[in-house]
Amino acid sequence: MRAQLMRRTLLSLVLGLLFLSTPAMGSCLDNYQELLGQLQKLADFMQHTSMLLDPYISIQGLDKDGLKKHCRERPGVFPSKDALQRLSRQEFLQILNTTLGHVLHRLRTLQKDIPKAQDLEKLNIAKLNIRGFKNNIHCMAQLLPGSLEKTEPTPTGPGASPSPTPISDAFQRRLEGCRFLHGYHRFMHSVGQVFREWGQSPSRSRRHSPRRGLRKGKHRTHLSSRNKRLMPREWLPR
Amino acid sequence: MALFSAFQTTFLLALLSLKTYQSEVLSEPLSLAPESLEVSIDSARQCLHLQWSVHNLAYHQELKMVFQIEISRIKTSNVIWVENYSTIVKRNQVLRWSWESKLPLECAKHSVRMRGAVDDAQVPELRFWSNWTSWEEVDVQSSLGHDPLFVFPKDKLVEEGSNVTICYVSRSHQNNISCYLEGVRMHGEQLDPNVCVFHLKNVPFVRETGTNIYCKADQGDVIKGIVLFVSKVFEEPKDFSCETRDLKTLNCTWVPGSDAGLLTQLSQSYTLFESFSGKKTLCKHKSWCNWEVSPDSQEMYNFTLTAENYLRKRSVHLLFSLTHRVHPMAPFNVFVKNVSATNATMTWKVHSIGNYSTLLCQIELYGEGKVIQKQNVSVKVNGKHLMKKLEPSTEYAAQVRCANANHFWKWSEWTRCNFTTAEAAPSEAPDVWRNVKSVQGHCVVTLFWKPLSKLQANGKILFYNVVLENLDRPSTLKLLSIPAPANGTELTLDQCSYQIHVTANNSVGTSPASVIAVSGDPGNKEVEEERVKGTEDGFCLSWKPQPGDVTGYVVEWCERPGDPLCDVQWRNLGPNTTSTVVSSDAFRPGVRYNFRIYGISTERIPYLLEKKTGYSQELVPSDNPQVLMSNLTSYSFTLSWKDYAAESQPGFVQGYSLYLKSKAARCLPGSEKAVLSDDSICCKYKIDNPKQKTFVVENLQPASFYEFFLTPYTSVGEGPQGAFTKVTTPDEYSHILIRITLPMIFSILLIMILCYLKSQWMKEKCYPDIPDPYKSSVLSLIKSKENPRLTIMNVKDCIPDAIEVINKQEGTRKSLTETEPTKPTYLYLLPTEKSHSGPGPCICFENFTYNQAASDSVSCGHVPVTPKAQPSQLGLLTSSENGPKALGKNYVNSLGEIPAGETNLNYVSQLASPMCGDKSSLPTNPPEPALCSEYKTQMAIPMGLTSPPSITLLDEGEHDH
């Protein structure tokens, strides 16, 4: 029992170090508007289906009339736009960060089903974009008031979670992959819209005003386990 | 062993006795039936695995048995498979048998039963079937779950070209299910109400990620499918081969077949099996494998290479003798020793391939990148080879490789060694030529020689020796040493004859001497130059053979004629040669090359025979001459272009073309029509003589405009199109006109000067001054009377003979007051013709508007005027209607200035007009004015003055009367 506790502590320590190193890897912009603009642009860029979904459909032979309509996002996998809009900024960043973490995990799984190098390259670029996006989320979290100490949220609660049980059926697996990517692009579209709303109305009642020139490393936005309270049903796209 | 057999036989007999007894007692034969039959499934492979055992066998008993297996589908009566399976059976041994179903096992319920029989020759009496086991049912559908739709088989892997059976299982009877292969609907066969089967034949390879087959219900969002992974046909390995390099290890290689073409590559394994030794090895690499040669001197090897993947197994075989597959290693310690100018020895060593084996080694000698010698040598361990007939001072490369001499299999790799042979004395005399000039009484000889070729030089040429031998004084020798790489020298000699010896020297020795003689006479006699036509192959030169003793000929030319260092070239030719083709990469089109052909006398003295000149390729003239025009007349002009250098043109100028443009439609004799590049038409004169530098253009038209343009032409064409020069021929009579006009102008000027000088005289003669009435003697008489104020005679003092009104409006008799003020009416007071038929007294008034011209022309006075001159004089005032108006204005103004109190009437003297402003009614008999009465009396009426009733205005008709 003691050994198990020790292992858990060590694991927590390693994860914590890794976690802390993430924002330190890249320097953050202090300019809120500029950072917000970058997040918007990146979200707009990542919402294009040509980045992931279209190649995937083509590679897997799902570009048939009878199949295309089944390649639609399953409700509940990604938060809906309404659900995202109802979140506070800190919560939004938390959920976004968590969801993108799951997307990264899923993309690694999908990578096995992509044969051509050029398509793999696209997928790798998409992964790099997501990593960069996550880094920007951390930077944005630093600029928001009421930040908590932890920046990296625990992947809990609803959101894009890894496939709970591996699907042995190749056909179902590729359909699920297709639906997942469809949901991902839709999600990024919603994210872009939320960021755009941030730019349009910087001080909505439920949202916190950004702080400028906050000292780095302090008051980081913590997307904590309280997000567990967020109800998955609220996120379902209508 | 025999004891055991006896025991077994005894046992069997006993058993049979027992069996006989039993059968007699129970009337039932003893059967060996399969028992404990169990059926399991392997969905991935669509296999049914059966296992059972036979219990009735005695201990340690082994019997060959046959089992009949029946498999039924859906219902037991529908037997789809019957197979007899033979095997050796032991007591309680678990027997296994598998069956692969073409239909996915999930698609239908299967049932299995079996029975057995002894199939052993030792107990033929037991060869009858046992009873069937009960049906063992395999129903996978019941464990599928509650999904509404299933499609099978899942993720099946097949080779392209295979036949595949697919089925769907629907849980609902109401939904219509449709299935698609890559979007194309499939039509199947209904196995039962819930199951439909599709038979796919000869499935193709579609993509790396597999073929999508899916089914969906008409209603709802249910879709289920499978991915059929179709791989490409697994090919057998190609080019399977084994060889050894050291008789210790065999290296086997092959080319693997193409891959399966699937994303999840089917793992391929390669196994090497040698049948004589029975050894087997799993190869780690995909295309090669090593095999340890057995130390027991196994000579023959029979290999089987088996390539295997999930779907297929492929094998290739190879049988060979080890010594026939020896691929020796490359020779080592390769050296070239004892290198002289022409010989070298090559030595090397080889790796031993057995105690008694002999190697065949091949030696190749390379010079300048080409194989120049090739030799084969038998070698045990050490090799040696002497290479002969080498060139001095030359780089060579020698290489050697070896193979098994007894059973050739493969050459080893080459081992190479480079070397350079030693130098030798130059083998050939340098090719020498000279150029002789006479400068200030001395003979300046420029010697040229060509560098020796590599083969001739036999090493690096260090210097050239030039020995001058005075032929007049043979004992006098002079030696000059010129270091390489000079290719000539200049010598200043006296007029004496010399013989010059030139040798080339390297570090080893001297070449043979090249001899050339120089005589006091340079031999440059006048020789007429001939033209020669160059071709792509060069200049073909020929000359007349010389009658005397000629040791040879030399053709000399310059490769850069325009350059002061013209790069003298020469070619030595034999005495029997009278033609040669000179070609050079340096020859350029449009450059004139001059060739001189010399004969070489027996004394080695060259003398000029012929001169040739020509172009390798003629071009059109590069520029046109500057043409001067002279002797321009009305009918011709002369053109000349004497400064034009035809020799500097890039071709032989064969003549000139003169283009003449004119307005004349026809060309003049000697010319013909030509169309220029701008499509304009002109006349063209052709001047065929290239030496002609003048040309007279004749038969021209006077006072005509011409344009001309002159251009030379070569055999290729004419020079560049240039601008035309304009010329206009003079008029034919212009010179005459000049001769007449000039004197006339001079004469007129002279007369004018004379007139000016004699103007006083002319005045007196032609227009004397009008006498001044103030100065008249009459005034003196008046002055003497009572009114001293009067200076001019008053009208009252005059007694007119008659008053005639000559201007009267026609039709309307208006009073003078009605007259428009801007148009004054004049009353002319003239004496009637009748009353003045003869000369009367002359009355003169002061003339306010005295017209000088009129007065000049008409001598107011007393000069009689002839009636003839009258019309023209009258015309001056009356021919135009405007005349009276203009004059009238002046009159009014003049009259207005006269004080009214002083006078009531003013008389204006005016030349009378016989016509009253109407030319059409000219009087046929104009009244002749009386002498000295041309000044008619006129009366000007002041503005606003009421005309007296007695005065009426007459119209023209009345006036005429």
Side-chain angles (χ1 to χ4, degrees):
Chain A
M1 191 69 182
R2 178 174 285 183
Q4 195 178 359
L5 187 65
M6 195 71 166
R7 276 202 299 275
R8 280 185 183 173
T9 312
L10 276 173
L11 183 65
S12 305
L13 184 64
V14 169
L15 284 174
L17 285 171
L18 280 173
F19 189 72
L20 285 173
S21 70
T22 310
M25 283 163 70
S27 60
C28 281
L29 283 169
D30 278 347
N31 190 320
Y32 170 80
Q33 288 298 341
E34 197 174 335
L35 188 56
L36 182 61
Q38 281 191 3
L39 283 166
Q40 270 179 27
K41 285 176 188 168
L42 205 51
D44 291 344
F45 178 69
M46 289 156 77
Q47 69 170 302
H48 291 305
T49 55
S50 59
M51 296 296 297
L52 281 173
L53 179 63
D54 295 347
Y56 184 83
I57 286 177
S58 173
I59 292 162
Q60 303 298 343
L62 301 174
D63 47 353
K64 304 290 182 292
D65 288 339
L67 283 176
K68 271 184 180 174
K69 69 174 184 180
H70 294 277
C71 185
R72 291 192 182 279
E73 175 187 7
R74 278 193 185 282
V77 178
F78 287 95
S80 69
K81 183 184 165 189
D82 288 345
L84 291 175
Q85 283 172 327
R86 282 196 293 273
L87 294 171
S88 70
R89 294 194 175 188
Q90 288 86 349
E91 288 168 343
F92 172 75
L93 293 180
Q94 166 75 44
I95 293 301
L96 183 56
N97 190 49
T98 308
T99 308
L100 290 178
H102 294 158
V103 171
L104 275 177
H105 177 81
R106 189 68 183 272
L107 288 183
R108 278 192 284 273
T109 312
L110 293 179
Q111 193 168 341
K112 296 169 192 165
D113 296 333
I114 296 176
K116 289 180 185 172
Q118 60 190 35
D119 299 315
L120 269 177
E121 194 180 355
K122 273 189 176 178
L123 190 127
N124 286 330
I125 289 170
K127 288 199 299 192
L128 282 175
N129 286 336
I130 292 171
R131 288 200 189 99
F133 198 86
K134 278 168 67 74
N135 200 36
N136 284 359
I137 291 167
H138 282 284
C139 294
M140 178 56 85
Q142 289 180 14
L143 294 180
L144 292 179
S147 305
L148 299 180
E149 287 305 315
K150 266 178 78 179
T151 55
E152 186 71 27
T154 323
T156 55
S161 57
S163 190
T165 50
I167 305 166
S168 58
D169 180 352
F171 184 77
Q172 286 305 121
R173 202 165 57 238
R174 64 180 52 172
L175 265 189
E176 286 302 322
C178 185
R179 289 164 180 158
F180 180 83
L181 292 178
H182 184 267
Y184 161 69
H185 290 303
R186 198 276 308 152
F187 172 70
M188 290 314 296
H189 176 73
S190 302
V191 168
Q193 286 185 320
V194 171
F195 277 129
R196 201 161 288 110
E197 286 169 9
W198 283 24
Q200 288 164 357
S201 56
S203 58
R204 274 178 62 176
S205 60
R206 290 203 62 205
R207 295 172 188 174
H208 300 278
S209 301
R211 289 179 303 155
R212 294 178 64 87
L214 282 179
R215 283 171 296 176
K216 288 178 185 174
K218 285 190 175 181
H219 307 294
R220 288 173 183 161
T221 299
H222 172 46
L223 310 176
S224 68
S225 58
R226 65 197 169 99
N227 289 314
K228 286 177 185 174
R229 295 196 308 268
L230 297 169
M231 300 305 291
R233 286 295 158 203
E234 290 181 68
W235 292 2
L236 298 181
R238 309 215 189 282
Chain B
M1 198 67 182
L3 181 65
F4 177 74
S5 299
F7 174 75
Q8 189 180 18
T9 309
T10 309
F11 175 77
L12 281 172
L13 287 172
L15 184 69
L16 287 171
S17 306
L18 179 65
K19 188 180 165 190
T20 308
Y21 169 74
Q22 282 180 338
S23 60
E24 283 174 356
V25 172
L26 302 174
S27 302
E28 189 176 311
L30 179 66
S31 64
L32 296 175
E35 294 174 79
S36 307
L37 175 63
E38 290 178 16
V39 182
S40 60
I41 62 164
D42 180 353
S43 288
R45 293 179 178 263
Q46 297 180 194
C47 281
L48 283 179
H49 297 297
L50 277 64
Q51 66 176 39
W52 70 96
S53 58
V54 179
H55 298 299
N56 290 338
L57 282 175
Y59 287 104
H60 307 297
Q61 186 186 4
E62 286 187 354
L63 277 178
K64 186 182 179 187
M65 290 187 70
V66 59
F67 299 96
Q68 191 171 58
I69 304 165
E70 277 187 356
I71 299 173
S72 64
R73 183 171 285 163
I74 302 173
K75 54 187 179 182
T76 52
S77 59
N78 179 28
V79 175
I80 57 165
W81 193 266
V82 177
E83 183 175 331
N84 290 336
Y85 169 62
S86 295
T87 185
I88 304 293
V89 184
K90 293 178 186 175
R91 177 185 169 84
N92 290 335
Q93 180 192 3
V94 176
L95 300 168
R96 290 185 174 86
W97 179 81
S98 293
W99 174 75
E100 185 182 349
S101 171
K102 291 191 175 173
L103 180 74
L105 295 173
E106 295 88 347
C107 300
K109 186 172 72 178
H110 289 79
S111 300
V112 181
R113 71 174 182 175
M114 67 192 312
R115 62 183 177 177
V118 176
D119 187 23
D120 202 318
Q122 294 176 0
V123 279
E125 61 276 16
L126 292 179
R127 300 180 76 173
F128 55 89
W129 287 111
S130 70
N131 292 329
W132 287 102
T133 64
S134 59
W135 285 101
E136 289 294 325
E137 194 174 88
V138 181
D139 187 7
V140 191
Q141 277 186 21
S142 58
S143 59
L144 286 179
H146 301 290
D147 283 358
L149 184 64
F150 299 92
V151 184
F152 297 104
K154 298 283 183 193
D155 306 342
K156 190 172 176 64
L157 180 62
V158 295
E159 258 187 358
E160 63 178 337
S162 307
N163 298 331
V164 181
T165 304
I166 291 163
C167 77
Y168 72 77
V169 180
S170 170
R171 297 294 193 197
S172 168
H173 301 283
Q174 291 158 355
N175 267 340
N176 280 331
I177 308 292
S178 46
C179 294
Y180 301 87
L181 168 68
E182 286 293 318
V184 179
R185 184 161 184 179
M186 301 185 295
H187 299 283
E189 137 194 10
Q190 206 72 33
L191 205 60
D192 68 35
N194 292 336
V195 179
C196 187
V197 176
F198 303 90
H199 300 286
L200 305 182
K201 292 182 179 176
N202 195 18
V203 290
F205 173 85
V206 177
R207 68 174 72 82
E208 288 172 294
T209 53
T211 305
N212 293 320
I213 299 167
Y214 53 94
C215 300
K216 54 184 184 178
D218 289 350
Q219 296 171 352
D221 198 24
V222 177
I223 182 168
K224 284 294 170 71
I226 60 165
V227 178
L228 187 66
F229 294 98
V230 181
S231 81
K232 292 180 180 173
V233 175
F234 184 53
E235 295 174 340
E236 67 181 18
K238 299 179 185 70
D239 301 334
F240 177 42
S241 172
C242 295
E243 65 183 25
T244 180
R245 309 209 70 167
D246 53 4
L247 295 177
K248 294 175 183 170
T249 306
L250 271 168
N251 176 251
C252 296
T253 58
W254 62 90
V255 177
S258 60
D259 59 24
L262 285 176
L263 176 58
T264 22
Q265 288 298 327
L266 301 177
S267 61
Q268 300 170 3
S269 66
Y270 292 88
T271 310
L272 204 56
F273 173 70
E274 202 284 304
S275 61
F276 294 120
S277 62
K279 289 181 183 174
K280 188 177 185 180
T281 184
L282 183 66
C283 299
K284 294 176 184 173
H285 305 280
K286 200 177 171 183
S287 61
W288 61 274
C289 201
N290 279 339
W291 183 273
E292 294 299 320
V293 173
S294 56
D296 54 357
S297 302
Q298 181 185 348
E299 178 61 22
M300 295 300 296
Y301 287 82
N302 185 12
F303 279 109
T304 300
L305 174 68
T306 304
E308 189 174 3
N309 71 359
Y310 176 81
L311 297 169
R312 193 182 281 266
K313 187 185 283 189
R314 299 275 195 180
S315 296
V316 286
H317 306 277
L318 183 66
L319 175 66
F320 61 88
S321 172
L322 183 66
T323 52
H324 293 189
R325 299 296 174 108
V326 176
H327 180 193
M329 285 196 275
F332 62 102
N333 282 354
V334 178
F335 299 108
V336 177
K337 301 171 181 173
N338 305 327
V339 180
S340 70
T342 54
N343 295 329
T345 303
M346 185 180 187
T347 61
W348 67 94
K349 289 186 176 181
V350 292
H351 295 275
S352 171
I353 52 167
N355 296 332
Y356 306 104
S357 62
T358 304
L359 290 176
L360 175 71
C361 292
Q362 191 174 60
I363 299 124
E364 281 184 352
L365 183 66
Y366 278 79
E368 295 181 344
K370 295 176 185 172
V371 178
I372 52 176
Q373 288 183 18
K374 202 169 190 174
Q375 289 287 330
N376 287 342
V377 180
S378 290
V379 173
K380 282 284 185 186
V381 177
N382 297 319
K384 186 177 180 182
H385 175 66
L386 175 64
M387 293 174 285
K388 300 175 185 175
K389 297 180 181 177
L390 306 179
E391 296 293 338
S393 184
T394 304
E395 288 182 3
Y396 290 98
Q399 60 183 15
V400 59
R401 64 180 180 180
C402 300
N404 189 354
N406 301 322
H407 304 285
F408 180 85
W409 167 241
K410 278 182 184 174
W411 287 110
S412 71
E413 294 78 19
W414 289 104
T415 305
R416 178 176 276 241
C417 180
N418 298 329
F419 66 98
T420 304
T421 50
E423 288 190 357
S427 58
E428 295 285 334
D431 188 359
V432 178
W433 184 238
R434 93 295 175 268
N435 187 10
V436 182
K437 286 184 290 185
S438 183
V439 178
Q440 296 176 348
H442 290 279
C443 191
V444 177
V445 178
T446 308
L447 279 180
F448 307 99
W449 56 81
K450 295 175 183 171
L452 293 174
S453 69
K454 198 175 176 184
L455 279 176
Q456 295 167 339
N458 290 338
K460 186 180 180 183
I461 299 297
L462 301 175
F463 56 92
Y464 294 91
N465 279 340
V466 178
V467 177
L468 303 175
E469 182 185 0
N470 192 327
L471 294 177
D472 299 331
R473 287 175 289 172
S475 58
T476 307
L477 288 174
K478 190 177 177 182
L479 173 66
L480 298 170
S481 185
I482 295 153
N487 57 358
T489 186
E490 190 171 275
L491 307 169
T492 304
L493 308 173
D494 53 23
Q495 289 296 336
C496 302
S497 300
Y498 278 88
Q499 199 169 51
I500 303 169
H501 305 255
V502 181
T503 55
N505 300 268
N506 63 11
S507 63
V508 177
T510 301
S511 72
S514 181
V515 180
I516 193 164
V518 177
S519 68
D521 176 18
N524 296 332
K525 62 179 182 179
E526 289 298 323
V527 176
E528 190 174 350
E529 191 175 69
E530 293 178 19
R531 286 184 179 177
V532 61
K533 189 172 176 61
T535 63
E536 287 182 356
D537 300 328
F539 291 93
C540 185
L541 305 175
S542 61
W543 56 92
K544 294 172 188 169
Q546 293 301 303
D549 290 334
V550 175
T551 59
Y553 297 95
V554 171
V555 178
E556 177 202 73
W557 72 94
C558 280
E559 288 210 331
R560 295 196 299 272
D563 199 327
L565 302 171
C566 72
D567 191 8
V568 174
Q569 300 291 316
W570 69 94
R571 179 179 293 177
N572 282 305
L573 297 159
N576 299 322
T577 308
T578 56
S579 68
T580 186
V581 175
V582 177
S583 62
S584 169
D585 293 336
F587 288 155
R588 297 282 175 266
V591 178
R592 185 183 284 198
Y593 295 96
N594 299 310
F595 299 90
R596 289 164 171 256
I597 298 157
Y598 293 87
I600 308 297
S601 70
T602 50
E603 294 83 18
R604 305 296 301 164
I605 299 173
Y607 56 93
L608 182 64
L609 295 178
E610 292 184 22
K611 285 184 189 176
K612 311 267 184 188
T613 184
Y615 296 86
S616 62
Q617 183 189 341
E618 282 193 74
L619 302 177
V620 295
S622 57
D623 51 3
N624 295 321
Q626 294 282 338
V627 182
L628 299 175
M629 188 187 68
S630 58
N631 299 338
L632 175 65
T633 67
S634 302
Y635 299 100
S636 67
F637 57 83
T638 303
L639 303 176
S640 66
W641 56 95
K642 291 182 179 172
D643 294 336
Y644 184 63
E647 292 75 19
S648 62
Q649 295 304 311
F652 291 118
V653 173
Q654 295 182 344
Y656 300 90
S657 296
L658 175 67
Y659 293 93
L660 188 70
K661 286 184 186 175
S662 68
K663 291 180 180 175
R666 288 185 176 181
C667 287
L668 296 171
S671 65
E672 57 186 11
K673 277 194 176 179
V675 179
L676 296 175
S677 57
D678 58 354
D679 294 335
S680 59
I681 297 173
C682 62
C683 297
K684 179 181 177 181
Y685 293 87
K686 197 146 190 172
I687 303 161
D688 292 333
N689 183 5
K691 292 180 181 175
Q692 182 179 337
K693 298 289 182 73
T694 60
F695 186 77
V696 179
V697 185
E698 295 174 313
N699 301 323
L700 304 177
Q701 293 295 320
S704 298
F705 178 71
Y706 292 94
E707 289 180 277
F708 67 85
F709 165 65
L710 184 92
T711 183
Y713 62 88
T714 65
S715 62
V716 184
E718 293 181 346
Q721 180 80 38
F724 277 73
T725 307
K726 299 174 176 60
V727 60
T728 305
T729 51
D731 190 358
E732 189 180 5
Y733 302 104
S734 60
H735 62 286
I736 299 170
L737 286 172
I738 289 168
R739 284 176 194 169
I740 294 170
T741 308
L742 283 177
M744 280 182 69
I745 292 168
F746 181 75
S747 303
I748 290 166
L749 281 174
L750 191 64
I751 289 167
M752 286 173 71
I753 292 167
L754 282 174
C755 288
Y756 177 75
L757 293 176
K758 295 292 181 184
S759 59
Q760 195 61 34
W761 177 78
M762 288 284 287
K763 189 178 178 184
E764 287 172 2
K765 288 293 178 189
C766 293
Y767 48 98
D769 287 339
I770 299 170
D772 190 352
Y774 288 99
K775 294 174 184 177
S776 173
S777 56
V778 178
L779 283 178
S780 58
L781 291 174
I782 295 170
K783 278 178 186 176
S784 60
K785 290 185 178 179
E786 13 184 71
N787 191 2
R789 288 176 60 192
L790 291 172
T791 54
I792 300 174
M793 185 179 285
N794 201 326
V795 72
K796 292 183 287 186
D797 300 331
C798 293
I799 304 167
D801 293 339
I803 294 173
E804 184 181 357
V805 178
I806 61 172
N807 190 6
K808 181 184 173 187
Q809 292 292 327
E810 187 180 359
T812 54
R813 294 177 180 268
K814 293 180 180 178
S815 64
L816 285 173
T817 53
E818 293 170 353
T819 309
E820 290 177 13
T822 54
K823 198 174 178 183
T825 305
Y826 300 94
L827 299 177
Y828 295 92
L829 302 175
L830 292 173
T832 56
E833 209 173 37
K834 290 175 183 173
S835 58
H836 288 284
S837 58
C842 192
I843 302 168
C844 286
F845 300 99
E846 186 168 14
N847 191 357
F848 289 107
T849 58
Y850 184 76
N851 188 316
Q852 184 67 40
S855 64
D856 285 348
S857 59
V858 180
S859 54
C860 170
H862 315 278
V863 179
V865 177
T866 59
K868 249 185 181 178
Q870 205 172 9
S872 64
Q873 289 164 343
L874 291 171
L876 285 172
L877 290 172
T878 59
S879 61
S880 170
E881 290 178 3
N882 296 330
K885 291 178 186 173
L887 287 172
K889 255 187 179 176
N890 291 334
Y891 298 156
V892 169
N893 292 339
S894 303
L895 291 171
E897 291 171 2
I898 299 170
E902 289 185 4
T903 179
N904 293 325
L905 288 171
N906 289 298
Y907 291 94
V908 178
S909 82
Q910 179 104 11
L911 190 62
S913 171
M915 310 158 288
C916 292
D918 191 356
K919 289 177 187 174
S920 60
S921 58
L922 278 173
T924 50
N925 296 312
E928 285 184 11
L931 286 175
C932 296
S933 65
E934 57 272 27
Y935 283 99
K936 292 188 175 178
T937 315
Q938 294 184 346
M939 185 172 63
I941 300 171
M943 301 293 285
L945 182 64
T946 307
S947 59
S950 58
I951 297 173
T952 57
L953 294 171
L954 302 174
D955 58 9
E956 283 182 21
E958 290 167 337
H959 175 251
D960 287 343
H961 291 288

